[in-house]
């Protein structure tokens, strides 16, 4: 019985956290840093922006590539599905009203991107 109550509490906490994340992510974001953990290289170069809308659609610009699609937040993960492409998931490290940081794998390399709200 105690395990069931503990599991229920964890699920409720994650749901509340996801709801808070869903509220905080809405808006225009720009890259503050994009660090390749293996090399320490910053790939940001002020050429990365995201816009997350309250209808769970998004647009992004990474260098000269513009993308749009849908997103969702579940269990601390941000899932983005570009139109006509496969879903991509990143682990949310921090999401407040002005900072979004997440860990992702790009070509097998661990990278951490930090965005700040415009």
């Amino acid at each position: 019985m105690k395990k069931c109550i503990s599991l229920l509490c964890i699920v409720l906490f994650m749901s509340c956290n996801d709801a808070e994340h869903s509220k905080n992510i809405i808006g225009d974001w720009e890259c503050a840093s994009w660090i390749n953990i293996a090399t320490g290289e910053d790939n940001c170069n002020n050429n990365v922006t995201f816009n997350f809308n309250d209808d769970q659609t998004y647009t992004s610009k990474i260098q000269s590539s513009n993308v749009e699609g849908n997103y969702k937040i579940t269990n601390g993960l941000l899932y983005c599905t570009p139109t006509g492409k496969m879903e991509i998931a990143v682990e949310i490290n921090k999401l407040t009203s002005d900072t979004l940081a997440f860990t992702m794998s790009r070509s097998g390399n661990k990278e951490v991107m930090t965005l700040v709200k415009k």
Side-chain angles (χ1 to χ4, degrees), residues 76-91:
L77 297 173
L78 170 61
Y79 295 90
C80 293
T81 307
T83 303
K85 301 210 177 191
M86 292 181 63
E87 182 176 77
I88 302 162
V90 298
E91 179 183 359

Side-chain angles (χ1 to χ4, degrees), residues 1 7 12 16 26 32 39 41 46 58-59 61 71 76 78 90-91 95 117:
M1 182 68 167
L7 182 60
L12 289 174
C16 293
I26 296 168
T39 65
E41 181 181 358
N46 298 323
Y58 79 97
T59 58
K61 179 181 177 280
Y71 75 92
L78 170 61
V90 298
E91 179 183 359
L95 179 50
K117 202 168 266 186

Side-chain angles (χ1 to χ4, degrees), residues 23-114:
K23 182 180 82 173
N24 285 336
I25 201 168
I26 296 168
D28 294 320
W29 300 84
E30 59 188 356
C31 188
S33 68
W34 180 358
I35 306 299
N36 180 319
I37 299 301
T39 65
E41 181 181 358
D42 189 340
N43 297 309
C44 194
N45 298 324
N46 298 323
N47 289 319
V48 179
T49 61
F50 284 84
N51 176 273
F52 293 97
N53 302 304
D54 59 2
D55 64 356
Q56 293 193 319
T57 60
Y58 79 97
T59 58
S60 67
K61 179 181 177 280
I62 299 175
Q63 297 168 344
S64 62
S65 177
N66 294 309
V67 175
E68 59 184 41
N70 298 303
Y71 75 92
K72 66 182 177 183
I73 296 174
T74 305
N75 297 325
L77 297 173
L78 170 61
Y79 295 90
C80 293
T81 307
T83 303
K85 301 210 177 191
M86 292 181 63
E87 182 176 77
I88 302 162
V90 298
E91 179 183 359
I92 298 171
N93 301 331
K94 177 180 182 179
L95 179 50
T96 63
S97 61
D98 62 356
T99 304
L100 168 57
F102 54 84
T103 301
M104 61 185 168
S105 173
R106 191 167 72 137
S107 300
N109 294 317
K110 183 176 180 180
E111 297 183 349
V112 177
M113 183 181 286
T114 302

Side-chain angles (χ1 to χ4, degrees), residues 4-18:
C4 290
I5 292 172
S6 296
L7 182 60
L8 180 60
C9 289
I10 290 169
V11 169
L12 289 174
F13 175 75
M14 292 294 281
S15 296
C16 293
N17 202 25
D18 288 346

